[in-house]
Amino acid sequence: MKQQNNSTTKQQRKSLMLKDLVLIGIFDVIYLVIIMACDCMGIVPIMYLIYPTIAAIIAGPLVLLFMAKEQKMFAFAIFGIIPPALTFLLGNTYVVLVIVIITTLLAEVLRKIGNYSSFTWNTLAYAVYSLWIPGVLSQMIFVRERFLELCKPMGDAYIAQLVQILTWQSLILVTIGAIVGAIIGALIGKKLLKKHFVKAGIVA
Protein backbone atom coordinates (compact mmCIF):
# COMPACT_ATOMS: atom_id res chain seq x y z
CA MET A 1 0.00 0.00 0.00
CA LYS A 2 2.83 2.37 0.94
CA GLN A 3 4.65 1.49 -2.27
CA GLN A 4 1.51 2.28 -4.28
CA ASN A 5 1.19 5.67 -2.55
CA ASN A 6 4.82 6.47 -3.32
CA SER A 7 4.24 5.53 -6.95
CA THR A 8 1.20 7.82 -7.12
CA THR A 9 3.17 10.69 -5.58
CA LYS A 10 5.98 10.29 -8.11
CA GLN A 11 3.48 10.25 -10.95
CA GLN A 12 1.93 13.47 -9.68
CA ARG A 13 5.32 15.10 -9.54
CA LYS A 14 5.87 14.25 -13.20
CA SER A 15 2.37 15.17 -14.40
CA LEU A 16 1.08 18.67 -14.98
CA MET A 17 -1.43 19.75 -12.37
CA LEU A 18 -3.76 22.73 -11.99
CA LYS A 19 -1.15 24.74 -10.10
CA ASP A 20 1.30 24.15 -12.97
CA LEU A 21 -1.20 25.45 -15.51
CA VAL A 22 -1.86 28.52 -13.35
CA LEU A 23 1.89 29.18 -13.14
CA ILE A 24 2.20 28.77 -16.91
CA GLY A 25 -0.57 31.33 -17.37
CA ILE A 26 1.10 33.85 -15.07
CA PHE A 27 4.47 33.53 -16.78
CA ASP A 28 2.83 33.76 -20.21
CA VAL A 29 1.15 37.06 -19.28
CA ILE A 30 4.46 38.54 -18.13
CA TYR A 31 6.26 37.19 -21.20
CA LEU A 32 3.62 38.71 -23.50
CA VAL A 33 3.97 42.10 -21.81
CA ILE A 34 7.74 42.00 -22.39
CA ILE A 35 7.40 40.98 -26.04
CA MET A 36 4.69 43.56 -26.76
CA ALA A 37 6.71 46.31 -25.08
CA CYS A 38 9.77 45.42 -27.16
CA ASP A 39 7.60 45.21 -30.27
CA CYS A 40 6.85 48.92 -29.86
CA MET A 41 10.40 49.49 -31.07
CA GLY A 42 9.01 48.69 -34.51
CA ILE A 43 7.43 52.13 -34.67
CA VAL A 44 10.81 53.00 -36.16
CA PRO A 45 11.24 50.32 -38.88
CA ILE A 46 15.03 50.06 -38.63
CA MET A 47 14.63 49.01 -34.98
CA TYR A 48 13.04 45.76 -36.15
CA LEU A 49 16.57 44.60 -36.92
CA ILE A 50 17.51 44.59 -33.22
CA TYR A 51 14.06 43.99 -31.71
CA PRO A 52 14.38 40.16 -31.54
CA THR A 53 17.79 40.46 -29.85
CA ILE A 54 16.55 42.93 -27.23
CA ALA A 55 13.36 40.94 -26.59
CA ALA A 56 15.33 37.70 -26.13
CA ILE A 57 17.72 39.37 -23.67
CA ILE A 58 15.00 40.98 -21.55
CA ALA A 59 12.79 37.86 -21.50
CA GLY A 60 15.75 35.57 -20.74
CA PRO A 61 15.67 35.73 -16.92
CA LEU A 62 11.89 35.22 -16.91
CA VAL A 63 12.01 32.16 -19.17
CA LEU A 64 14.94 30.61 -17.29
CA LEU A 65 13.09 31.16 -14.01
CA PHE A 66 10.09 29.39 -15.51
CA MET A 67 12.31 26.50 -16.57
CA ALA A 68 13.71 26.28 -13.03
CA LYS A 69 10.23 26.18 -11.51
CA GLU A 70 8.62 23.88 -14.11
CA GLN A 71 10.67 20.78 -14.82
CA LYS A 72 7.79 18.69 -16.06
CA MET A 73 7.25 17.29 -19.54
CA PHE A 74 5.23 19.56 -21.87
CA ALA A 75 5.20 22.46 -19.39
CA PHE A 76 7.43 24.52 -21.67
CA ALA A 77 5.56 23.40 -24.78
CA ILE A 78 2.33 24.84 -23.37
CA PHE A 79 4.07 27.98 -22.15
CA GLY A 80 5.82 28.49 -25.48
CA ILE A 81 2.93 28.03 -27.86
CA ILE A 82 0.42 30.35 -26.16
CA PRO A 83 2.02 33.81 -26.82
CA PRO A 84 2.67 33.30 -30.58
CA ALA A 85 -0.72 31.59 -30.95
CA LEU A 86 -2.34 34.75 -29.57
CA THR A 87 -0.46 36.89 -32.10
CA PHE A 88 -1.80 34.56 -34.80
CA LEU A 89 -5.35 35.08 -33.55
CA LEU A 90 -4.74 38.82 -33.56
CA GLY A 91 -3.88 38.85 -37.25
CA ASN A 92 -0.51 37.29 -38.00
CA THR A 93 -0.38 34.59 -40.67
CA TYR A 94 0.06 30.83 -40.53
CA VAL A 95 3.82 31.34 -40.95
CA VAL A 96 4.12 32.41 -37.30
CA LEU A 97 2.08 29.41 -36.14
CA VAL A 98 4.18 26.93 -38.13
CA ILE A 99 7.45 28.41 -36.91
CA VAL A 100 6.42 28.45 -33.27
CA ILE A 101 5.18 24.85 -33.34
CA ILE A 102 8.54 23.74 -34.73
CA THR A 103 10.67 25.85 -32.37
CA THR A 104 8.62 25.00 -29.28
CA LEU A 105 8.70 21.27 -29.91
CA LEU A 106 12.46 21.38 -30.57
CA ALA A 107 12.91 23.35 -27.34
CA GLU A 108 10.91 20.73 -25.46
CA VAL A 109 13.13 17.96 -26.87
CA LEU A 110 16.29 19.86 -25.89
CA ARG A 111 14.99 20.29 -22.34
CA LYS A 112 14.22 16.58 -22.22
CA ILE A 113 17.77 15.72 -23.32
CA GLY A 114 19.06 17.79 -20.42
CA ASN A 115 16.58 16.11 -18.07
CA TYR A 116 15.02 19.57 -17.55
CA SER A 117 17.80 20.43 -15.09
CA SER A 118 20.75 21.33 -17.33
CA PHE A 119 21.46 25.04 -17.69
CA THR A 120 23.26 24.39 -20.98
CA TRP A 121 20.37 22.47 -22.54
CA ASN A 122 17.79 24.89 -21.14
CA THR A 123 19.75 27.77 -22.68
CA LEU A 124 19.84 25.98 -26.04
CA ALA A 125 16.11 25.33 -25.73
CA TYR A 126 15.45 29.02 -25.05
CA ALA A 127 17.68 30.06 -27.98
CA VAL A 128 15.75 27.79 -30.35
CA TYR A 129 12.40 28.95 -28.98
CA SER A 130 13.38 32.62 -29.40
CA LEU A 131 13.54 32.09 -33.17
CA TRP A 132 9.77 32.58 -33.31
CA ILE A 133 10.36 36.32 -32.80
CA PRO A 134 12.30 36.88 -36.04
CA GLY A 135 9.82 34.37 -37.47
CA VAL A 136 7.20 37.12 -37.24
CA LEU A 137 9.36 39.31 -39.47
CA SER A 138 9.92 36.42 -41.89
CA GLN A 139 6.33 36.91 -43.01
CA MET A 140 7.79 39.62 -45.25
CA ILE A 141 9.54 36.85 -47.19
CA PHE A 142 6.97 34.05 -47.11
CA VAL A 143 3.68 35.95 -47.28
CA ARG A 144 4.82 39.38 -48.40
CA GLU A 145 1.52 40.82 -49.63
CA ARG A 146 -0.42 39.75 -46.54
CA PHE A 147 2.26 41.10 -44.21
CA LEU A 148 2.31 44.46 -45.97
CA GLU A 149 -1.46 44.53 -45.78
CA LEU A 150 -1.21 44.12 -42.00
CA CYS A 151 1.18 47.09 -41.90
CA LYS A 152 -1.03 49.40 -44.00
CA PRO A 153 -2.32 51.41 -41.01
CA MET A 154 1.27 52.62 -40.47
CA GLY A 155 1.30 54.41 -43.84
CA ASP A 156 3.03 54.08 -47.19
CA ALA A 157 6.33 55.59 -46.04
CA TYR A 158 6.54 53.04 -43.22
CA ILE A 159 5.84 50.15 -45.61
CA ALA A 160 8.45 51.42 -48.06
CA GLN A 161 11.07 51.34 -45.31
CA LEU A 162 10.07 47.82 -44.28
CA VAL A 163 10.46 46.59 -47.86
CA GLN A 164 13.99 47.99 -47.93
CA ILE A 165 14.97 46.69 -44.51
CA LEU A 166 13.43 43.21 -44.29
CA THR A 167 15.35 41.11 -46.81
CA TRP A 168 16.67 37.56 -46.71
CA GLN A 169 20.10 38.88 -45.79
CA SER A 170 18.88 41.07 -42.94
CA LEU A 171 16.62 38.32 -41.58
CA ILE A 172 19.59 35.96 -41.34
CA LEU A 173 21.38 38.57 -39.21
CA VAL A 174 18.23 39.15 -37.15
CA THR A 175 17.92 35.40 -36.53
CA ILE A 176 21.53 35.20 -35.37
CA GLY A 177 20.87 38.21 -33.17
CA ALA A 178 17.91 36.45 -31.53
CA ILE A 179 20.08 33.42 -30.71
CA VAL A 180 22.85 35.60 -29.27
CA GLY A 181 20.28 37.62 -27.33
CA ALA A 182 18.74 34.46 -25.87
CA ILE A 183 22.14 33.21 -24.69
CA ILE A 184 22.93 36.59 -23.12
CA GLY A 185 19.49 36.65 -21.48
CA ALA A 186 20.00 33.15 -20.10
CA LEU A 187 23.41 34.07 -18.65
CA ILE A 188 21.94 37.19 -17.04
CA GLY A 189 19.12 35.01 -15.70
CA LYS A 190 21.60 32.54 -14.24
CA LYS A 191 23.38 35.32 -12.38
CA LEU A 192 20.21 37.00 -11.14
CA LEU A 193 18.40 33.79 -10.24
CA LYS A 194 21.26 31.75 -8.82
CA LYS A 195 19.35 30.84 -5.64
CA HIS A 196 16.35 29.58 -7.63
CA PHE A 197 18.63 27.50 -9.87
CA VAL A 198 20.39 25.89 -6.93
CA LYS A 199 17.07 25.06 -5.28
CA ALA A 200 15.73 23.57 -8.52
CA GLY A 201 18.90 21.58 -9.12
CA ILE A 202 19.78 23.43 -12.34
CA VAL A 203 23.32 22.55 -13.35
CA ALA A 204 25.64 23.91 -16.02
Side-chain angles (χ1 to χ4, degrees):
M1 187 68 171
K2 187 176 180 181
Q3 185 176 2
Q4 185 177 355
N5 289 336
N6 288 337
S7 178
T8 302
T9 302
K10 287 181 181 180
Q11 185 64 34
Q12 287 177 340
R13 287 175 181 171
K14 292 180 180 179
S15 303
L16 289 173
M17 302 174 69
L18 179 60
K19 65 178 182 178
D20 298 307
L21 298 177
V22 170
L23 191 66
I24 289 170
I26 293 171
F27 273 83
D28 265 328
V29 169
I30 301 172
Y31 181 77
L32 267 173
V33 170
I34 292 173
I35 296 301
M36 290 174 69
C38 292
D39 186 48
C40 291
M41 296 169 62
I43 293 175
V44 180
I46 191 69
M47 296 300 288
Y48 267 134
L49 298 182
I50 63 170
Y51 147 63
T53 303
I54 300 300
I57 291 174
I58 295 175
L62 175 76
V63 176
L64 267 290
L65 176 59
F66 174 79
M67 289 180 172
K69 287 183 170 294
E70 283 294 338
Q71 297 186 25
K72 295 180 179 179
M73 187 179 296
F74 301 126
F76 187 80
I78 297 172
F79 164 83
I81 286 177
I82 291 175
L86 288 175
T87 68
F88 169 73
L89 294 175
L90 291 173
N92 278 303
T93 69
Y94 70 90
V95 171
V96 174
L97 204 55
V98 171
I99 289 174
V100 76
I101 289 173
I102 293 172
T103 57
T104 303
L105 291 179
L106 283 175
E108 183 70 33
V109 170
L110 291 172
R111 290 202 73 202
K112 174 66 176 176
I113 292 174
N115 198 30
Y116 303 101
S117 60
S118 165
F119 174 76
T120 300
W121 286 103
N122 281 342
T123 298
L124 289 174
Y126 176 50
V128 169
Y129 173 68
S130 293
L131 295 180
W132 84 266
I133 305 175
V136 174
L137 302 180
S138 74
Q139 293 176 105
M140 172 65 84
I141 304 300
F142 297 112
V143 284
R144 184 188 184 91
E145 295 304 318
R146 174 57 181 158
F147 184 67
L148 293 178
E149 186 180 328
L150 292 172
C151 297
K152 268 187 179 181
M154 302 299 290
D156 293 337
Y158 183 89
I159 290 176
Q161 290 183 60
L162 281 183
V163 171
Q164 283 188 325
I165 293 168
L166 299 180
T167 63
W168 270 110
Q169 292 82 356
S170 67
L171 283 173
I172 290 173
L173 294 176
V174 168
T175 300
I176 294 172
I179 294 172
V180 172
I183 294 172
I184 293 172
L187 291 173
I188 293 173
K190 184 179 182 181
K191 188 172 183 180
L192 293 176
L193 307 166
K194 187 176 181 180
K195 288 183 180 179
H196 290 281
F197 284 1
V198 172
K199 187 178 179 180
I202 297 291
V203 294

